[in-house]
Amino acid sequence: MKIVIAGAGAVGSHLAALLSREDQDIILIDENPEKTARLLASGDLDLMTLNVSPTSVSGLREGGVGECDLFIAVTPEETRNITCCMIAHALGARKTVARVDTAEYAMPQQRDLFRKMGVGSVIYPEGLAAQEILDGIRRPWVRQYWETAGGRLVMLGVKLREKARITGVPLHSLCDAGTPYRIALIKRGDDTIIPSGSDCLRVGDIVYFMTTKQHISYIREIAGKEDYDDVRDVMIMGGGRTSVHVAEGRCLLPTWGEAEGGCSSLPSGEQKGAGLIKIIEQDEERCRRIGELVGGDRRIRIVRGDGRDTTLLLEEGLPEMQAFCALTPQTETNILACLAAKRMGVPKTVALVDNMDYIPMAEKLDIGTVINKKMIAAGRIYQMMLDSDALGVKCLTAAGADVAEVVVGEGSPAGKKPVSHLGLPPGITLGGFVRGTGEGALVYGSTLLEPGDRVVVFCKSGLIKQLDRYFSKKRSGLHLF
């Protein structure tokens, strides 16, 4: 597949690094030679670079855009991304993707309009990040949550503390055919582990479970997370687009007892709904704009002030909040603010970490959930390039791994023999599957998959493309979207 990426910023560079492992024909376009040189100097990447303007017709022609299968525009400027996608489409690019900053452009009802313009798909990182944050707030004891197969299978990423009842026991004793979950992945320090039967869980591990919705409360119990209160009141530091989406989305979520198997119950006479949401923002004009955007919702309170001021946070009741989200553009500020919130006793903290170099450090500091918009956006675009029938891909930022929902193709190896005989690489394991309209089921070595089954696969970063070998039938051409 020939892929042209316009923009050598964080998203474009991360995407280029991902794709360079997949034997794709990649051309990275950016008019700044320092950016492309820095990327090439950072590692052994198999790609070509071209220093021209992404909106230059002659430059795009020079980059072979007319013959490319996929054109991805991820420059920092929304209008530029749309413009160069339009030009690329006119020149003959088969598929185009543009990163945008306007929420309206990502709405489903705008899809046909943009496709008529030559923009096949749009990626809105702030909206994707907000959804990740909302998933975390809804279930404060979970680091990452993902529903697959229409909600019939669920992935839970949970950090084990001292109260966990499943540490120190070999997995072959802990998990058997009667256990309502599978442990598919373990993040331990800097290591990502696809576990075997002899592995034991330890305090501090981030463990990725595969289960079904009716057993979420059981996972919560054995992981020692029963004392986590459901989130009612939330404080958000920073008044950017992501913060507004989180506040608006939070008002649509139920609260008491909302997490499956939650310990709290709805007080008599009360109605479900979000509690108080406080947004701390220093800029006066931005505070005014946020007030206009949220439409006077009395559950959302905007406080003008410096979120780095611990006195202000105490005055605004941070210790009484169940969740704190640090979503300013400054990575260091967000990390330090979450550390302060943890010290004040806030059980659920979320940090927006835009600098990808800081992600490992943020995880080691145990600041809670780490959100990186660039990696989320790159992961969504990466899904579009899989030749397998991928219905969804989730980037496990903290674990250095991916989880994908794929369909077993007619005539593929996965539909011909038991899972234990597939010869899957060491970095890949299967979590669960759904057949037809049936319930979700866990995968074991003796499981025999059938064509059409929807399967959840866990794999270390860089291995996801190998899924084609097992789940796709032999075919030619390009499969996107």
Side-chain angles (χ1 to χ4, degrees):
M1 185 189 301
K2 182 172 182 178
I3 302 168
V4 178
I5 302 172
V11 177
S13 299
H14 183 67
L15 195 55
L18 283 175
L19 295 173
S20 67
R21 312 170 188 151
E22 307 292 352
D23 195 27
Q24 309 285 4
D25 181 8
I26 305 165
I27 297 177
L28 181 62
I29 295 177
D30 196 292
E31 55 200 335
N32 188 337
E34 293 182 2
K35 287 185 178 180
T36 54
R38 187 163 54 246
L39 178 63
L40 292 174
S42 64
D44 186 19
L45 301 182
D46 184 16
L47 54 84
M48 292 181 60
T49 60
L50 184 63
N51 297 124
V52 297
S53 169
T55 54
S56 165
V57 176
S58 59
L60 293 180
R61 280 200 174 114
E62 184 182 349
V65 167
E67 296 78 42
C68 79
D69 298 301
L70 181 61
F71 178 84
I72 306 165
V74 285
T75 76
E77 299 172 30
E78 171 185 78
T79 54
R80 201 176 205 199
N81 293 333
I82 294 172
T83 299
C84 57
C85 278
M86 294 169 64
I87 297 172
H89 174 75
L91 291 175
R94 292 185 62 189
K95 295 288 183 181
T96 59
V97 181
R99 185 198 64 77
V100 298
D101 298 324
T102 303
E104 182 186 12
Y105 293 169
M107 292 180 177
Q109 58 265 37
Q110 310 298 346
R111 191 173 299 151
D112 288 341
L113 171 65
F114 277 94
R115 286 181 176 171
K116 288 176 183 177
M117 295 166 56
V119 183
S121 296
V122 298
I123 297 292
Y124 179 50
E126 285 77 11
L128 297 175
Q131 188 56 57
E132 290 263 342
I133 294 167
L134 287 167
D135 285 342
I137 290 174
R138 191 174 185 186
R139 300 166 186 87
W141 58 280
V142 173
R143 284 295 181 92
Q144 283 189 288
Y145 178 92
W146 193 39
E147 293 183 6
T148 68
R152 288 177 284 176
L153 286 169
V154 177
M155 180 210 75
L156 300 167
V158 183
K159 186 155 190 174
L160 301 185
R161 305 290 186 182
E162 288 75 9
K163 292 184 179 180
R165 292 162 33 192
I166 52 177
T167 57
V169 182
L171 294 189
H172 63 74
S173 299
L174 189 65
C175 310
D176 55 32
T179 305
Y181 62 85
R182 274 211 66 195
I183 294 174
L185 192 75
I186 303 170
K187 178 63 175 179
R188 179 174 296 155
D190 294 329
D191 298 324
T192 298
I193 302 168
I194 300 289
S196 65
S198 60
D199 285 307
C200 296
L201 301 178
R202 303 176 187 172
V203 172
D205 286 349
I206 300 176
V207 180
Y208 291 86
F209 296 87
M210 187 94 261
T211 189
T212 53
K213 277 189 174 180
Q214 62 265 38
H215 294 114
I216 291 178
S217 59
Y218 179 66
I219 303 295
R220 182 174 186 170
E221 179 185 343
I222 63 176
K225 300 289 184 176
E226 293 173 292
D227 57 346
Y228 273 67
D229 292 330
D230 292 329
V231 171
R232 176 174 172 79
D233 299 326
V234 182
M235 182 177 288
I236 302 173
M237 186 173 80
R241 289 189 295 265
T242 303
S243 300
V244 172
H245 290 314
V246 170
E248 291 178 325
R250 178 61 190 160
C251 287
L252 300 176
L253 293 177
T255 302
W256 287 287
E258 66 181 354
E260 295 83 354
C263 302
S264 55
S265 59
L266 189 66
S268 176
E270 296 278 7
Q271 298 295 316
K272 284 189 176 184
L276 181 63
I277 303 163
K278 289 188 178 182
I279 301 177
I280 311 293
E281 170 56 48
Q282 193 169 12
D283 184 83
E284 182 177 7
E285 176 61 21
R286 180 164 288 183
C287 287
R288 185 189 63 78
R289 290 203 305 268
I290 296 170
E292 293 174 353
L293 289 170
V294 299
D297 193 316
R298 286 183 293 179
R299 293 169 295 179
I300 302 176
R301 180 182 169 191
I302 303 155
V303 179
R304 186 189 173 198
D306 189 344
R308 296 170 296 182
D309 184 351
T310 54
T311 301
L312 172 66
L313 297 180
L314 287 169
E315 289 174 353
E316 293 299 329
L318 179 57
E320 286 73 51
M321 298 284 171
Q322 290 82 50
F324 174 76
C325 304
L327 308 179
T328 78
Q330 290 79 38
T331 291
E332 298 90 340
T333 297
N334 295 339
I335 292 173
L336 292 172
C338 282
L339 286 172
K342 283 284 188 184
R343 287 199 300 270
M344 293 181 194
V346 181
K348 181 67 178 181
T349 56
V350 180
L352 184 64
V353 179
D354 272 343
N355 188 330
M356 288 190 283
D357 293 336
Y358 280 35
I359 292 176
M361 180 192 71
E363 285 296 332
K364 289 178 182 177
L365 288 172
D366 197 19
I367 62 169
T369 299
V370 173
I371 297 291
N372 182 276
K373 292 185 291 186
K374 301 175 181 70
M375 292 183 73
I376 294 171
R380 182 62 63 92
I381 296 170
Y382 186 54
Q383 175 187 337
M384 301 173 184
M385 289 154 233
L386 296 178
D387 291 329
S388 59
D389 291 314
L391 303 177
V393 176
K394 183 84 165 177
C395 177
L396 307 180
T397 306
D402 302 296
V403 56
E405 181 185 351
V406 299
V407 175
V408 178
E410 189 73 42
S412 66
K416 297 178 179 177
K417 59 184 75 172
V419 168
S420 61
H421 296 165
L422 288 179
L424 294 172
I428 295 178
T429 190
L430 309 186
F433 73 101
V434 171
R435 181 166 295 156
T437 58
E439 296 297 317
L442 303 178
V443 172
Y444 300 98
S446 60
T447 301
L448 181 60
L449 300 172
E450 297 178 3
D453 286 351
R454 299 167 69 169
V455 186
V456 180
V457 187
F458 291 76
C459 54
K460 293 184 178 180
S461 295
L463 297 180
I464 199 167
K465 193 66 170 65
Q466 294 191 29
L467 302 183
D468 294 332
R469 187 190 312 168
Y470 302 95
F471 293 95
S472 294
K473 63 182 179 180
K474 189 69 175 177
R475 58 186 169 185
S476 59
L478 177 68
H479 178 79
L480 292 175
F481 312 109

